[in-house]
Amino acid sequence: MIGGPKNFVLRLLLIAAFLAVWEALVRFFEIPMFILPTPSSVFTALWRGIVSGLYVDHVWITLSETLLGFVVGTTLAFLFGTVIALSRPFEYFLYPFIVMFQSMPKVALAPLIIVWFGLGLASKVVNAALVAFFPLMVNTIVGLRSAEEDKVNLMKSLAATRSQIFWMLQLPNAMPYIFAGLEIAMIFALIGAIVAEFVGAQSGLGMLIQSMNFTMDVAGQFSVLLLLSVLGLLLNGIVIGVRRRVLFWDASQKFDAEAAKKDAV
């Protein structure tokens, strides 16, 4: 059974073994530090940055950009997804334009966004929102349309209004899909913010990686990547936690809870 204290310890041992092999290989083959640093040097750089307070402002800037981009992108995605799911004319005229826009690589659009919105917060939020937009919009459309036709017809036969069908049947049915989209959108928003910082920024973890690259501080770059990984795990964990609170009635949530209880036993 997956999960539980024993498997958690095994997971930590696996990570420790991976780091030990990495450290041994770099030292044995005498790989230069500017190509591949040892894990010990990465953690030393990470600790040095934490003690000196180097990361505080940059983490806060990147986190702000990510959360603002996530809120803007997912709000618009939910509204557009709902309109498209409930209106065939809107789907016919609007959806192809959205797909065409989404097909454009955001890395290529980032320089234009920097030109239009500047080097400050706005350009990073716009890029993060654009990257986070599409996954949630698609999941919203699929979720709203997955309501069983028999149930919709039953509510219509009981004189339910369009609004009642949406709020009492279609939206609850779509919630698992929407939260699946939110999990993806949160990570995409973080990636979008970092990509925009790479192109042009005055602060943020992406800008910090760029500046460390110029000074050949590879261990420092790895330490920032480690911070980004932890930040991604934290943001993803928050969305999963909210999903478990909101979707307590969902069958898959009950299954996860029962599995966790069995693991604990």
Side-chain angles (χ1 to χ4, degrees):
M1 190 69 70
I2 301 299
K6 290 182 181 178
N7 284 341
F8 180 72
V9 172
L10 286 176
R11 183 191 293 178
L12 292 180
L13 290 174
L14 183 63
I15 295 173
F18 171 75
L19 293 176
V21 171
W22 177 359
E23 180 91 22
L25 289 176
V26 172
R27 290 182 182 276
F28 181 78
F29 290 105
E30 298 181 347
I31 299 174
M33 293 290 284
F34 62 87
I35 294 179
L36 182 64
T38 59
S40 58
S41 63
V42 172
F43 284 114
T44 301
L46 179 65
W47 177 250
R48 192 168 55 241
I50 292 174
V51 171
S52 65
L54 172 66
Y55 299 130
V56 176
D57 289 341
H58 296 291
V59 168
W60 172 247
I61 293 293
T62 300
L63 184 62
S64 303
E65 295 164 354
T66 301
L67 292 178
L68 286 172
F70 173 78
V71 171
V72 173
T74 53
T75 302
L76 292 174
F78 177 75
L79 294 176
F80 274 86
T82 301
V83 170
I84 290 172
L86 301 181
S87 172
R88 292 291 179 185
F90 269 102
E91 180 188 14
Y92 181 79
F93 290 107
L94 200 61
Y95 194 72
F97 289 102
I98 294 175
V99 173
M100 287 170 60
F101 186 74
Q102 182 61 25
S103 303
M104 299 176 186
K106 301 302 175 289
V107 177
L109 283 177
L112 291 174
I113 293 172
I114 295 293
V115 171
W116 293 334
F117 295 95
L119 292 172
L121 178 69
S123 57
K124 316 305 178 298
V125 172
V126 170
N127 205 60
L130 286 176
V131 177
F133 176 84
F134 201 69
L136 182 62
M137 190 199 70
V138 171
N139 276 36
T140 302
I141 295 171
V142 173
L144 290 175
R145 288 182 175 170
S146 64
E148 294 180 28
E149 194 67 26
D150 292 341
K151 293 181 179 178
V152 174
N153 292 331
L154 176 62
M155 292 191 72
K156 287 180 179 177
S157 68
L158 297 173
T161 63
R162 185 82 175 267
S163 176
Q164 287 174 321
I165 294 174
F166 174 77
W167 289 107
M168 299 175 69
L169 176 62
Q170 290 178 303
L171 184 59
N173 188 75
M175 290 304 287
Y177 296 88
I178 291 173
F179 269 95
L182 287 174
E183 287 182 40
I184 301 171
M186 180 62 88
I187 300 302
F188 276 22
L190 178 60
I191 294 172
I194 293 297
V195 168
E197 287 176 356
F198 276 147
V199 176
Q202 297 168 328
S203 56
L205 292 175
M207 190 281 297
L208 192 59
I209 291 175
Q210 287 282 62
S211 65
M212 288 177 172
N213 186 43
F214 292 139
T215 58
M216 299 293 288
D217 184 6
V218 181
Q221 292 180 62
F222 270 83
S223 69
V224 178
L225 291 174
L226 189 60
L227 275 179
L228 282 171
S229 301
V230 173
L231 194 60
L233 280 173
L234 179 66
L235 294 173
N236 183 255
I238 291 172
V239 176
I240 292 174
V242 173
R243 184 194 69 190
R244 286 176 177 164
R245 290 281 183 182
V246 175
L247 301 183
F248 58 89
W249 45 267
D250 185 51
S252 62
Q253 303 297 317
K254 292 179 181 177
F255 176 79
D256 291 342
E258 290 174 0
K261 287 180 182 177
K262 290 179 180 177
D263 289 336
V265 173

Coordinates of all heavy atoms in Angstrom, one line a residue, residues 172-256:
P172 N -21.3 21.2 -9.7 CA -20.8 20.1 -8.8 C -20.2 19.0 -9.5 O -19.2 18.4 -9.1 CB -22.1 19.7 -8.0 CG -23.0 20.8 -8.1 CD -22.8 21.4 -9.4
N173 N -20.8 18.6 -10.7 CA -20.2 17.5 -11.4 C -18.8 17.8 -12.0 O -18.0 17.0 -12.2 CB -21.2 17.1 -12.6 CG -20.8 15.9 -13.3 OD1 -20.9 14.8 -12.8 ND2 -20.2 16.1 -14.5
A174 N -18.6 19.2 -12.3 CA -17.4 19.6 -13.0 C -16.3 19.9 -11.9 O -15.1 20.0 -12.3 CB -17.6 20.9 -13.8
M175 N -16.6 19.9 -10.7 CA -15.6 20.3 -9.7 C -14.3 19.5 -9.7 O -13.2 20.0 -9.6 CB -16.2 20.4 -8.3 CG -17.2 21.5 -8.1 SD -16.5 23.1 -8.5 CE -15.5 23.4 -7.0
P176 N -14.4 18.1 -9.7 CA -13.2 17.3 -9.8 C -12.3 17.7 -11.0 O -11.1 17.8 -10.9 CB -13.7 15.9 -9.9 CG -15.0 15.9 -9.2 CD -15.6 17.3 -9.6
Y177 N -13.0 17.9 -12.1 CA -12.2 18.4 -13.3 C -11.5 19.7 -13.1 O -10.4 20.0 -13.5 CB -13.1 18.4 -14.5 CG -13.7 17.1 -14.9 CD1 -14.9 16.7 -14.4 CD2 -13.1 16.3 -15.9 CE1 -15.5 15.5 -14.8 CE2 -13.7 15.1 -16.3 CZ -14.9 14.7 -15.7 OH -15.4 13.5 -16.1
I178 N -12.3 20.6 -12.5 CA -11.8 22.0 -12.3 C -10.6 22.0 -11.3 O -9.6 22.6 -11.6 CB -12.9 22.9 -11.7 CG1 -14.0 23.1 -12.8 CG2 -12.4 24.2 -11.2 CD1 -15.2 23.9 -12.3
F179 N -10.7 21.2 -10.3 CA -9.5 21.1 -9.4 C -8.3 20.4 -10.0 O -7.2 20.8 -9.7 CB -9.9 20.4 -8.1 CG -10.4 21.4 -7.0 CD1 -11.8 21.6 -6.9 CD2 -9.6 22.1 -6.2 CE1 -12.3 22.6 -6.0 CE2 -10.0 23.0 -5.3 CZ -11.4 23.2 -5.2
A180 N -8.6 19.5 -10.9 CA -7.4 18.9 -11.6 C -6.8 19.9 -12.5 O -5.5 20.0 -12.6 CB -7.9 17.7 -12.5
G181 N -7.6 20.8 -13.1 CA -7.0 21.9 -13.9 C -6.3 22.9 -13.0 O -5.3 23.4 -13.5
L182 N -6.8 23.2 -11.8 CA -6.1 24.1 -10.9 C -4.8 23.6 -10.5 O -3.8 24.4 -10.4 CB -7.0 24.4 -9.7 CG -8.3 25.2 -9.9 CD1 -9.1 25.2 -8.6 CD2 -7.9 26.6 -10.3
E183 N -4.6 22.3 -10.3 CA -3.3 21.8 -9.9 C -2.3 22.0 -11.0 O -1.2 22.4 -10.7 CB -3.5 20.3 -9.6 CG -4.2 19.9 -8.3 CD -4.2 18.4 -8.1 OE1 -3.2 17.7 -8.3 OE2 -5.3 17.9 -7.6
I184 N -2.7 21.8 -12.2 CA -1.8 22.0 -13.4 C -1.5 23.5 -13.5 O -0.4 23.9 -13.8 CB -2.4 21.4 -14.7 CG1 -2.6 19.9 -14.5 CG2 -1.5 21.7 -15.9 CD1 -3.4 19.3 -15.7
A185 N -2.6 24.3 -13.4 CA -2.5 25.7 -13.6 C -1.5 26.4 -12.6 O -0.8 27.3 -13.0 CB -3.8 26.4 -13.6
M186 N -1.5 25.9 -11.4 CA -0.6 26.5 -10.4 C 0.8 26.3 -10.8 O 1.6 27.2 -10.7 CB -0.9 25.8 -9.0 CG -0.1 26.4 -7.9 SD -0.3 28.2 -7.6 CE -1.7 28.1 -6.4
I187 N 1.2 25.1 -11.2 CA 2.6 24.8 -11.6 C 2.9 25.6 -12.9 O 4.0 26.2 -13.0 CB 2.8 23.3 -11.8 CG1 2.5 22.5 -10.5 CG2 4.2 23.0 -12.3 CD1 3.3 23.0 -9.4
F188 N 2.0 25.7 -13.8 CA 2.2 26.4 -15.0 C 2.4 27.9 -14.7 O 3.2 28.6 -15.4 CB 1.0 26.2 -16.0 CG 1.2 25.0 -16.8 CD1 1.9 23.9 -16.4 CD2 0.5 24.8 -18.0 CE1 2.0 22.7 -17.1 CE2 0.6 23.7 -18.8 CZ 1.4 22.6 -18.3
A189 N 1.7 28.4 -13.8 CA 1.8 29.9 -13.4 C 3.2 30.2 -12.9 O 3.8 31.2 -13.2 CB 0.8 30.3 -12.4
L190 N 3.7 29.2 -12.1 CA 5.1 29.4 -11.6 C 6.1 29.4 -12.8 O 7.0 30.2 -12.8 CB 5.4 28.3 -10.6 CG 6.8 28.2 -10.0 CD1 7.1 29.5 -9.3 CD2 7.0 27.0 -9.1
I191 N 5.9 28.4 -13.7 CA 6.8 28.3 -14.9 C 6.7 29.6 -15.7 O 7.7 30.2 -16.2 CB 6.4 27.1 -15.7 CG1 6.7 25.8 -14.9 CG2 7.2 27.1 -17.0 CD1 6.2 24.6 -15.6
G192 N 5.5 30.1 -15.9 CA 5.3 31.4 -16.7 C 6.0 32.5 -16.1 O 6.6 33.4 -16.8
A193 N 5.9 32.7 -14.7 CA 6.6 33.8 -14.1 C 8.1 33.7 -14.2 O 8.8 34.7 -14.5 CB 6.2 33.8 -12.6
I194 N 8.6 32.5 -14.1 CA 10.1 32.3 -14.2 C 10.5 32.6 -15.6 O 11.6 33.2 -15.8 CB 10.5 30.8 -13.8 CG1 10.2 30.6 -12.3 CG2 11.9 30.6 -14.1 CD1 11.1 31.5 -11.4
V195 N 9.8 32.1 -16.6 CA 10.1 32.4 -18.0 C 10.2 33.9 -18.3 O 11.1 34.4 -18.9 CB 9.1 31.7 -19.0 CG1 9.3 32.2 -20.4 CG2 9.3 30.2 -19.0
A196 N 9.2 34.6 -17.8 CA 9.2 36.1 -17.9 C 10.4 36.8 -17.2 O 10.9 37.7 -17.7 CB 7.9 36.7 -17.4
E197 N 10.7 36.2 -16.1 CA 11.9 36.8 -15.4 C 13.2 36.5 -16.1 O 14.1 37.3 -16.1 CB 12.0 36.2 -14.0 CG 10.9 36.7 -13.0 CD 10.9 36.0 -11.7 OE1 11.8 35.1 -11.5 OE2 10.1 36.4 -10.8
F198 N 13.3 35.4 -16.8 CA 14.4 35.1 -17.6 C 14.6 36.1 -18.7 O 15.7 36.5 -19.0 CB 14.3 33.7 -18.3 CG 14.8 32.6 -17.4 CD1 14.2 31.3 -17.5 CD2 15.8 32.7 -16.5 CE1 14.6 30.3 -16.7 CE2 16.2 31.7 -15.7 CZ 15.6 30.4 -15.8
V199 N 13.5 36.5 -19.3 CA 13.6 37.5 -20.5 C 14.0 38.8 -20.0 O 14.8 39.5 -20.6 CB 12.2 37.5 -21.2 CG1 12.2 38.5 -22.3 CG2 11.9 36.1 -21.8
G200 N 13.4 39.3 -18.9 CA 13.7 40.6 -18.4 C 13.1 40.9 -17.1 O 11.8 40.8 -17.0
A201 N 13.9 41.1 -16.0 CA 13.3 41.4 -14.7 C 14.3 42.1 -13.9 O 15.6 42.1 -14.2 CB 12.9 40.1 -14.0
Q202 N 13.9 42.8 -12.8 CA 14.7 43.5 -11.9 C 15.0 42.6 -10.6 O 15.9 42.9 -9.9 CB 14.1 44.8 -11.6 CG 14.0 45.7 -12.8 CD 13.2 47.0 -12.5 OE1 12.3 46.9 -11.7 NE2 13.6 48.1 -13.2
S203 N 14.1 41.7 -10.4 CA 14.2 40.8 -9.2 C 13.4 39.5 -9.5 O 12.7 39.4 -10.4 CB 13.7 41.5 -8.0 OG 12.4 42.0 -8.1
G204 N 13.5 38.6 -8.6 CA 12.8 37.3 -8.7 C 13.8 36.2 -8.9 O 15.0 36.4 -9.2
L205 N 13.4 34.9 -8.6 CA 14.3 33.8 -8.7 C 14.8 33.5 -10.1 O 16.0 33.1 -10.3 CB 13.6 32.5 -8.2 CG 13.2 32.6 -6.7 CD1 12.4 31.3 -6.3 CD2 14.5 32.6 -5.8
G206 N 14.0 33.8 -11.1 CA 14.5 33.7 -12.5 C 15.6 34.6 -12.8 O 16.6 34.2 -13.4
M207 N 15.5 35.9 -12.4 CA 16.6 36.8 -12.5 C 17.8 36.4 -11.8 O 18.9 36.6 -12.2 CB 16.1 38.2 -12.1 CG 17.0 39.4 -12.4 SD 18.4 39.6 -11.3 CE 17.6 39.9 -9.8
L208 N 17.6 35.8 -10.6 CA 18.7 35.4 -9.7 C 19.5 34.3 -10.4 O 20.7 34.3 -10.4 CB 18.2 34.9 -8.4 CG 19.2 34.7 -7.3 CD1 20.0 36.0 -7.0 CD2 18.6 34.2 -6.0
I209 N 18.8 33.4 -11.1 CA 19.5 32.3 -11.8 C 20.3 32.9 -13.0 O 21.4 32.5 -13.2 CB 18.4 31.3 -12.4 CG1 17.8 30.5 -11.2 CG2 19.1 30.3 -13.3 CD1 16.7 29.6 -11.7
Q210 N 19.7 33.9 -13.7 CA 20.4 34.5 -14.8 C 21.7 35.2 -14.3 O 22.8 35.1 -14.9 CB 19.5 35.6 -15.4 CG 18.4 35.0 -16.3 CD 18.9 34.5 -17.6 OE1 19.8 33.7 -17.7 NE2 18.4 35.1 -18.7
S211 N 21.6 35.9 -13.2 CA 22.8 36.6 -12.7 C 23.9 35.6 -12.2 O 25.1 35.9 -12.4 CB 22.4 37.6 -11.5 OG 21.9 36.9 -10.4
M212 N 23.4 34.5 -11.6 CA 24.4 33.5 -11.1 C 25.1 32.8 -12.4 O 26.2 32.4 -12.3 CB 23.7 32.5 -10.3 CG 23.4 33.0 -8.9 SD 22.5 31.8 -7.9 CE 22.5 32.6 -6.3
N213 N 24.3 32.7 -13.4 CA 24.8 32.1 -14.7 C 26.0 33.0 -15.2 O 27.0 32.5 -15.7 CB 23.7 32.0 -15.7 CG 24.2 31.2 -16.9 OD1 24.9 30.2 -16.8 ND2 23.8 31.8 -18.1
F214 N 25.8 34.3 -15.1 CA 26.9 35.2 -15.6 C 28.2 35.1 -14.8 O 29.3 35.3 -15.3 CB 26.4 36.6 -15.6 CG 25.3 36.9 -16.6 CD1 24.2 37.7 -16.2 CD2 25.3 36.4 -17.8 CE1 23.2 38.0 -17.1 CE2 24.3 36.6 -18.7 CZ 23.2 37.4 -18.4
T215 N 28.0 34.7 -13.5 CA 29.2 34.6 -12.7 C 29.7 33.2 -12.5 O 30.5 32.9 -11.7 CB 28.9 35.2 -11.3 OG1 27.8 34.5 -10.7 CG2 28.6 36.7 -11.3
M216 N 29.1 32.3 -13.3 CA 29.4 30.8 -13.3 C 29.3 30.2 -11.9 O 30.0 29.3 -11.5 CB 30.9 30.6 -13.8 CG 31.2 31.1 -15.2 SD 30.3 30.1 -16.4 CE 31.2 28.6 -16.4
D217 N 28.3 30.7 -11.2 CA 28.0 30.1 -9.9 C 27.0 29.0 -10.0 O 25.8 29.2 -9.8 CB 27.4 31.2 -8.9 CG 27.2 30.7 -7.5 OD1 27.5 29.5 -7.2 OD2 26.6 31.5 -6.7
V218 N 27.4 27.8 -10.5 CA 26.5 26.7 -10.8 C 25.9 26.2 -9.5 O 24.7 25.8 -9.5 CB 27.3 25.6 -11.6 CG1 26.4 24.5 -11.9 CG2 27.9 26.2 -12.8
A219 N 26.7 26.1 -8.4 CA 26.1 25.6 -7.2 C 25.0 26.5 -6.7 O 23.9 26.0 -6.2 CB 27.2 25.5 -6.1
G220 N 25.2 27.8 -6.9 CA 24.1 28.8 -6.6 C 22.8 28.6 -7.4 O 21.7 28.6 -6.9
Q221 N 23.1 28.3 -8.7 CA 21.9 28.0 -9.6 C 21.1 26.8 -9.2 O 19.9 26.8 -9.2 CB 22.4 27.9 -11.1 CG 23.0 29.1 -11.7 CD 23.4 28.9 -13.1 OE1 22.6 28.5 -14.0 NE2 24.7 29.1 -13.4
F222 N 21.9 25.7 -8.8 CA 21.2 24.5 -8.3 C 20.4 24.8 -7.0 O 19.3 24.3 -6.8 CB 22.2 23.4 -8.1 CG 22.5 22.6 -9.3 CD1 23.4 22.9 -10.3 CD2 21.8 21.3 -9.4 CE1 23.6 22.1 -11.4 CE2 22.0 20.5 -10.5 CZ 22.9 20.9 -11.5
S223 N 21.0 25.7 -6.2 CA 20.3 26.0 -4.9 C 19.0 26.7 -5.2 O 18.0 26.5 -4.6 CB 21.2 26.8 -4.0 OG 21.4 28.1 -4.5
V224 N 19.0 27.6 -6.2 CA 17.7 28.3 -6.6 C 16.7 27.4 -7.2 O 15.5 27.4 -7.0 CB 18.0 29.5 -7.6 CG1 16.8 30.2 -8.0 CG2 19.0 30.5 -6.9
L225 N 17.2 26.4 -8.0 CA 16.3 25.4 -8.6 C 15.7 24.6 -7.5 O 14.5 24.2 -7.6 CB 17.1 24.5 -9.6 CG 17.6 25.2 -10.9 CD1 18.5 24.2 -11.7 CD2 16.4 25.6 -11.7
L226 N 16.5 24.3 -6.5 CA 16.0 23.5 -5.3 C 14.9 24.3 -4.7 O 13.8 23.8 -4.3 CB 17.1 23.2 -4.4 CG 16.8 22.2 -3.2 CD1 16.3 20.9 -3.7 CD2 18.0 22.1 -2.3
L227 N 15.1 25.6 -4.5 CA 14.1 26.5 -3.9 C 12.8 26.5 -4.8 O 11.7 26.4 -4.2 CB 14.6 27.9 -3.8 CG 15.4 28.3 -2.6 CD1 15.9 29.7 -2.7 CD2 14.6 28.1 -1.3
L228 N 13.0 26.5 -6.1 CA 11.8 26.5 -7.0 C 11.0 25.2 -6.9 O 9.8 25.2 -6.9 CB 12.2 26.8 -8.4 CG 12.6 28.2 -8.8 CD1 13.2 28.2 -10.2 CD2 11.3 29.0 -8.8
S229 N 11.8 24.1 -6.7 CA 11.1 22.8 -6.6 C 10.3 22.8 -5.3 O 9.1 22.3 -5.3 CB 12.1 21.7 -6.5 OG 12.9 21.7 -7.7
V230 N 10.8 23.3 -4.2 CA 10.1 23.3 -2.9 C 8.9 24.2 -3.0 O 7.8 23.9 -2.5 CB 11.1 23.8 -1.8 CG1 10.3 24.0 -0.5 CG2 12.2 22.8 -1.6
L231 N 9.1 25.4 -3.7 CA 8.0 26.3 -3.9 C 6.8 25.6 -4.7 O 5.7 25.8 -4.4 CB 8.5 27.6 -4.6 CG 7.6 28.8 -4.6 CD1 7.3 29.2 -3.2 CD2 8.2 29.9 -5.4
G232 N 7.2 24.9 -5.8 CA 6.2 24.2 -6.6 C 5.5 23.2 -5.8 O 4.2 23.0 -5.9
L233 N 6.2 22.4 -5.0 CA 5.6 21.4 -4.1 C 4.6 22.0 -3.1 O 3.5 21.5 -2.9 CB 6.6 20.6 -3.4 CG 7.4 19.5 -4.1 CD1 8.5 18.9 -3.3 CD2 6.4 18.4 -4.5
L234 N 5.0 23.1 -2.5 CA 4.2 23.8 -1.5 C 2.9 24.3 -2.2 O 1.8 24.1 -1.6 CB 5.0 25.0 -0.9 CG 4.3 25.8 0.1 CD1 4.0 25.0 1.3 CD2 5.1 27.0 0.5
L235 N 3.0 25.0 -3.3 CA 1.8 25.5 -4.0 C 0.9 24.4 -4.4 O -0.3 24.5 -4.3 CB 2.2 26.4 -5.2 CG 3.0 27.6 -4.9 CD1 3.5 28.3 -6.1 CD2 2.1 28.6 -4.1
N236 N 1.5 23.3 -5.0 CA 0.7 22.2 -5.4 C 0.0 21.5 -4.2 O -1.2 21.1 -4.2 CB 1.6 21.1 -6.1 CG 0.8 20.0 -6.6 OD1 0.8 18.9 -6.0 ND2 0.0 20.1 -7.7
G237 N 0.7 21.5 -3.0 CA 0.1 20.9 -1.8 C -1.1 21.7 -1.3 O -2.1 21.2 -0.8
I238 N -1.0 23.1 -1.5 CA -2.1 23.9 -1.0 C -3.3 23.7 -1.9 O -4.4 23.5 -1.3 CB -1.7 25.4 -1.2 CG1 -0.6 25.7 -0.1 CG2 -2.9 26.3 -1.0 CD1 0.0 27.1 -0.3
V239 N -3.2 23.5 -3.2 CA -4.3 23.3 -4.1 C -4.9 21.9 -3.7 O -6.2 21.8 -3.6 CB -3.9 23.3 -5.6 CG1 -5.1 22.9 -6.4 CG2 -3.4 24.7 -5.9
I240 N -4.1 20.9 -3.5 CA -4.6 19.6 -3.1 C -5.3 19.6 -1.8 O -6.4 19.0 -1.6 CB -3.4 18.5 -3.1 CG1 -2.9 18.3 -4.5 CG2 -3.9 17.2 -2.5 CD1 -1.7 17.4 -4.5
G241 N -4.8 20.4 -0.8 CA -5.4 20.5 0.5 C -6.8 21.2 0.4 O -7.8 20.7 1.0
V242 N -6.9 22.2 -0.5 CA -8.2 22.9 -0.7 C -9.2 21.9 -1.4 O -10.4 21.9 -1.0 CB -8.0 24.2 -1.5 CG1 -9.3 24.8 -1.9 CG2 -7.2 25.2 -0.7
R243 N -8.7 21.2 -2.3 CA -9.5 20.2 -3.0 C -10.1 19.2 -2.1 O -11.3 18.8 -2.1 CB -8.7 19.5 -4.1 CG -9.5 18.5 -5.0 CD -8.6 17.6 -5.8 NE -8.0 16.7 -4.9 CZ -7.0 15.9 -5.2 NH1 -6.5 15.9 -6.4 NH2 -6.4 15.0 -4.3
R244 N -9.3 18.7 -1.1 CA -9.8 17.7 -0.2 C -10.9 18.3 0.7 O -11.8 17.6 1.2 CB -8.6 17.1 0.6 CG -7.8 16.2 -0.2 CD -6.6 15.7 0.6 NE -5.8 14.8 -0.2 CZ -4.5 14.4 0.1 NH1 -3.9 14.9 1.2 NH2 -3.9 13.5 -0.7
R245 N -10.7 19.6 1.1 CA -11.7 20.2 1.9 C -13.0 20.5 1.2 O -14.1 20.3 1.7 CB -11.2 21.6 2.4 CG -10.0 21.5 3.4 CD -10.6 21.2 4.8 NE -9.5 21.2 5.8 CZ -9.7 20.9 7.0 NH1 -11.0 20.6 7.4 NH2 -8.7 20.9 7.9
V246 N -12.9 20.9 -0.1 CA -14.1 21.3 -0.9 C -14.8 20.1 -1.4 O -16.0 20.0 -1.4 CB -13.7 22.3 -2.0 CG1 -14.9 22.6 -2.9 CG2 -13.1 23.5 -1.5
L247 N -14.0 19.1 -1.9 CA -14.6 17.9 -2.6 C -14.7 16.7 -1.6 O -14.4 15.6 -2.0 CB -13.8 17.5 -3.8 CG -13.7 18.6 -4.9 CD1 -12.9 18.0 -6.1 CD2 -15.1 19.1 -5.3
F248 N -15.1 17.0 -0.3 CA -15.2 15.9 0.6 C -16.3 14.9 0.2 O -16.3 13.8 0.7 CB -15.6 16.5 2.0 CG -16.8 17.3 2.0 CD1 -18.0 16.7 2.3 CD2 -16.8 18.7 1.8 CE1 -19.2 17.4 2.3 CE2 -18.0 19.4 1.8 CZ -19.2 18.8 2.1
W249 N -17.2 15.3 -0.6 CA -18.3 14.4 -1.0 C -17.9 13.6 -2.2 O -18.6 12.6 -2.6 CB -19.5 15.3 -1.4 CG -19.2 16.5 -2.3 CD1 -18.9 17.7 -1.9 CD2 -19.0 16.5 -3.7 NE1 -18.6 18.5 -2.9 CE2 -18.6 17.8 -4.1 CE3 -19.1 15.5 -4.7 CZ2 -18.4 18.2 -5.4 CZ3 -18.8 15.9 -6.0 CH2 -18.5 17.2 -6.4
D250 N -16.8 13.9 -2.9 CA -16.4 13.2 -4.1 C -15.9 11.7 -3.7 O -15.2 11.5 -2.8 CB -15.3 13.9 -4.8 CG -14.9 13.3 -6.1 OD1 -15.8 13.1 -6.9 OD2 -13.7 13.0 -6.4
A251 N -16.3 10.8 -4.5 CA -15.9 9.4 -4.3 C -14.4 9.1 -4.2 O -13.9 8.4 -3.4 CB -16.6 8.5 -5.3
S252 N -13.7 9.8 -5.1 CA -12.2 9.6 -5.2 C -11.6 10.1 -3.9 O -10.6 9.6 -3.4 CB -11.6 10.3 -6.4 OG -11.9 11.7 -6.3
Q253 N -12.1 11.2 -3.3 CA -11.6 11.7 -2.1 C -11.8 10.8 -0.9 O -10.9 10.6 -0.1 CB -12.2 13.1 -1.7 CG -12.1 14.1 -2.8 CD -10.7 14.5 -3.1 OE1 -9.9 14.7 -2.1 NE2 -10.3 14.6 -4.3
K254 N -13.0 10.1 -0.9 CA -13.3 9.1 0.1 C -12.3 8.0 0.0 O -11.8 7.4 1.0 CB -14.7 8.7 0.0 CG -15.7 9.8 0.4 CD -17.1 9.2 0.2 CE -18.2 10.3 0.5 NZ -19.6 9.9 0.3
F255 N -12.0 7.6 -1.2 CA -11.1 6.4 -1.4 C -9.7 6.8 -0.9 O -9.1 6.0 -0.3 CB -11.1 6.1 -2.9 CG -10.1 5.1 -3.3 CD1 -10.4 3.7 -3.1 CD2 -8.8 5.4 -3.8 CE1 -9.5 2.7 -3.4 CE2 -7.9 4.4 -4.1 CZ -8.3 3.0 -3.9
D256 N -9.3 8.0 -1.2 CA -7.9 8.4 -0.7 C -7.9 8.4 0.8 O -6.9 8.0 1.4 CB -7.6 9.8 -1.2 CG -7.3 9.8 -2.7 OD1 -7.1 8.7 -3.3 OD2 -7.4 10.9 -3.4

